[in-house]
Every structure is written in structure tokens, then in C-alpha cells.
Amino acid sequence: MSQHWDEYWQQGHLTSFGDSFSGNYSGVLETNWHHDFNDLPDNFKVLDLATGNGALPLLLNQFFKDLSRKGEVIGVDLAKISTKLDELALNKQVDVSLVSHIDCSDLPFEENSFDLVISQYGLEYSDLALSIPEALRVLRPGGRLSLVTHHSRSMIINRNRRILTLISQQAIARVFQTIDTLILQMGTLTNAEDVQRIKQNQECERLRHQLNQEISTLAQSDEGALKDSELLTYVATLFQQGLFWPLAKKQEYLTFARQQIDTLKDRLGELVEASLDELALSAMLANLIELGANLVSINQIEDHDGQVLGWKIVINKTN
């Protein structure tokens, strides 16, 4: 799983929302954590599981910037973390470290090490039958495991499920095939005369109309999902900025665009599969007593418009 997430985090994303969400989590997805952070003792120790590029450790660090409390937060992820902490203006009262290639089902920490273990849109990608007991193992007695997970009917999942449905269509492969054939037919263009030449080429015009029709059909299927997929951006780049590229460079870019769509399909497939409904939550929480823990609360997180963003689950370690 981690290979395409390695690539995703290396692109500089701080959250798992991609290009549609810049910067760190904000609004309810930020303030949701204030209660958890405020309950921490002085000299606290916090572990963030499936940290991505460290969004929650950075939120925690800034939460205490005007307070006197000291502590440490460690973020771990199975993928390679790309955040360069030495380039950030961090609150020196709270030490932040980010560690790559850590499996949440096999944590390299001693028992009873942390006051708080957290995760946002991450732990549900793991095998919860292994990662939940492991998270509780490293918690101190009385410590809390606080999770925000994907909700199977959330706005986030619904939007990304639509994108996944669109890019899984055979029509996407046909678009790439038409582009491939078209750029071969066009050949190398170097000036305005070459552009006029291809406009008068009947086969080029037929392929161009075919491509426009294929994209129009996708737009009629789900225009919003088509825009979110970035397919239109790839097409525009190839035929606008890349119009006078050598043929080999056009073909290289087309291969890149195909790979990006395939990677997006893999990533969104994992996201949708990882989202939790009520049945999956019940299974996740079924053995808490045997694990020396109890459920404190479970609630839906909603934005100011009442749209569901995820589940908030708080578990207490009793012994």
C-alpha cells in the first residue's frame, strides 16, 4: 500500500485531502482536537499513528505555542514522511519528531509510554484487529486513544467514491488511447504552419472530435468527479503548454498522466475500503474489555452545514 502513498506525501500534501484542500486541517477538524490536547499533563508524551506528513503533530505543536506546557509528540507512518521540520517555525516547548516506515501493528515503543495516542484519517487503513491492541499497549494506564476515522457515508467518502467510479470506467482508457493515436498522427509541431497543417488533416480532425466527444460523455456522467480527477488538467497541459513539445516528450507526459490516474484509482480504492460503517465500528470495538480498555464516546463529526466528515472515537485504557 505504501508505495503510492510515498509518492502522494512527497508531493507536499499535509493532509490526505489532496489538491482540493491546501494547508493543514482547519475548522472542526482542528478544533475537534482541542479538548484532547488541553487535557494533557505537563511533560506529556503523544503518539500520532499513520501521521501522513505530520498534520496532527504540527497542530499540537502550535496549540501550545502560547501556553507554558511542555511535551513531546511523535508521528509515525508506514509511508515515507516528507515534511522537513527544520524548515518550519515550531514551538520549542513541544518537541516534534516524524518517523517513516513504521507499521501501526508493530510499534517500536515500550508498553505504557504515552499519555495520548491519536490518529486522523489513517489508522483505519491498517488491520484494526492488530493496530488497536498495539495502540493500547503503548498507552499508559488512564491514557486515551483518540481517533478520527473515515465514515462510510461522509461527504469526503461520497465525493471520492464518485471520482473512483468515474476513473474506473473503460471510457478513461479510451480517452488515453485516442490521445495516443492523435499525437502520433499530429507528429512534431514547431510553428503556426504546422498547426494549420494538422487542422487540415482529416484524420487529425476526426480524432480531435472523437476525443472531445469522449470527454463530453464523461462530463455528462459526472462533471464534478471529472474535474476532481485532474484528467482535464492533463489533457489541457498536453495540448496547450505541450503543443510544440517533441513527440517523445508528449508520449512521456501521456504515460505520466496514465500513471497518475492509475495511482489515484488505487489510493481512492483504499480510502473507500477503509471507511467505517456502524458494523465495522462494532467489530473494531468488540474486544475492548479484554484489552483492558473501555469506550468513552463515539460521535459523528459534522461541519457547520451538517455534512458528515467522519467518526470521532475515544477509548480509555483502564489498566
Side-chain angles (χ1 to χ4, degrees):
M1 166 184 147
S2 64
Q3 183 175 354
H4 48 263
W5 283 104
D6 282 351
E7 179 184 338
Y8 177 80
W9 297 122
Q10 286 167 14
Q11 292 172 6
H13 300 294
L14 193 54
T15 76
S16 58
F17 293 162
D19 293 329
S20 62
F21 192 99
S22 61
N24 206 336
Y25 294 110
S26 60
V28 66
L29 291 176
E30 176 188 358
T31 58
N32 161 71
W33 291 103
H34 288 181
H35 177 74
D36 298 274
F37 296 165
N38 201 46
D39 283 347
L40 287 167
D42 198 19
N43 298 311
F44 60 79
K45 194 170 183 180
V46 175
L47 175 64
D48 179 33
L49 300 175
T51 193
N53 264 344
L56 288 190
L58 296 178
L59 281 181
L60 188 151
N61 176 272
Q62 293 304 296
F63 179 81
F64 288 107
K65 68 179 180 180
D66 296 322
L67 302 174
S68 59
R69 244 173 295 179
K70 298 180 180 180
E72 175 187 5
V73 55
I74 302 172
V76 300
D77 203 285
L78 188 60
K80 179 176 174 55
I81 300 170
S82 297
T83 299
K84 298 178 181 179
L85 294 175
D86 57 353
E87 297 180 0
L88 302 177
L90 297 177
N91 166 24
K92 295 181 180 180
Q93 295 284 91
V94 177
D95 292 330
V96 178
S97 56
L98 302 174
V99 187
S100 304
H101 308 310
I102 301 297
D103 189 338
C104 291
S105 65
D106 186 21
L107 296 171
F109 305 109
E110 296 182 0
E111 295 181 5
N112 308 325
S113 295
F114 296 94
D115 300 291
L116 176 67
V117 176
I118 57 179
S119 182
Q120 180 149 285
Y121 299 135
L123 193 64
E124 61 268 39
Y125 288 93
S126 69
D127 183 344
L128 292 171
L130 299 176
S131 56
I132 294 292
E134 188 68 351
L136 292 170
R137 180 186 69 80
V138 301
L139 263 179
R140 292 170 181 158
R144 288 192 169 183
L145 171 61
S146 192
L147 310 172
V148 171
T149 72
H150 283 295
H151 189 303
S152 62
R153 300 185 302 279
S154 74
M155 170 188 68
I156 299 162
I157 294 298
N158 288 340
R159 179 174 179 176
N160 285 290
R161 189 183 284 116
R162 287 170 50 200
I163 302 171
L164 179 61
T165 297
L166 181 96
I167 63 177
S168 298
Q169 294 181 35
Q170 189 60 34
I172 296 292
R174 289 196 293 270
V175 166
F176 281 114
Q177 182 58 53
T178 300
I179 295 172
D180 195 14
T181 306
L182 176 56
I183 61 177
L184 279 171
Q185 185 68 32
M186 290 166 58
T188 298
L189 309 180
T190 59
N191 52 45
E193 290 181 1
D194 287 336
V195 174
Q196 288 302 315
R197 170 180 58 79
I198 64 170
K199 286 182 178 180
Q200 295 169 7
N201 184 300
Q202 290 184 354
E203 183 60 10
C204 284
E205 282 298 284
R206 185 191 69 80
L207 289 167
R208 185 177 67 82
H209 285 297
Q210 179 177 319
L211 177 60
N212 287 339
Q213 182 58 51
E214 288 169 348
I215 291 175
S216 177
T217 300
L218 286 170
Q220 290 170 12
S221 170
D222 192 330
E223 185 174 2
L226 178 61
K227 291 178 180 178
D228 286 341
S229 74
E230 297 294 316
L231 178 63
L232 296 178
T233 300
Y234 298 134
V235 173
T237 298
L238 188 59
F239 291 107
Q240 293 176 16
Q241 295 98 308
L243 184 61
F244 293 108
W245 289 347
L247 176 59
K249 185 174 181 180
K250 288 190 178 84
Q251 292 173 320
E252 181 182 351
Y253 183 80
L254 185 60
T255 298
F256 164 78
R258 274 195 180 107
Q259 291 171 343
Q260 291 302 300
I261 293 294
D262 287 342
T263 298
L264 179 64
K265 183 161 61 174
D266 289 341
R267 185 164 56 83
L268 295 187
E270 290 177 358
L271 184 154
V272 171
E273 185 178 356
S275 63
L276 303 178
D277 59 15
E278 288 80 357
L279 186 62
L281 279 176
S282 296
M284 183 183 84
L285 302 172
N287 299 317
L288 287 183
I289 294 178
E290 290 87 340
L291 295 171
N294 65 273
L295 178 65
V296 175
S297 63
I298 180 168
N299 297 290
Q300 288 187 165
I301 301 175
E302 299 180 355
D303 66 13
H304 296 301
D305 297 322
Q307 296 193 83
V308 175
L309 300 177
W311 296 105
K312 175 64 180 286
I313 306 153
V314 181
I315 297 167
N316 185 65
K317 181 174 180 179
T318 53
N319 56 61

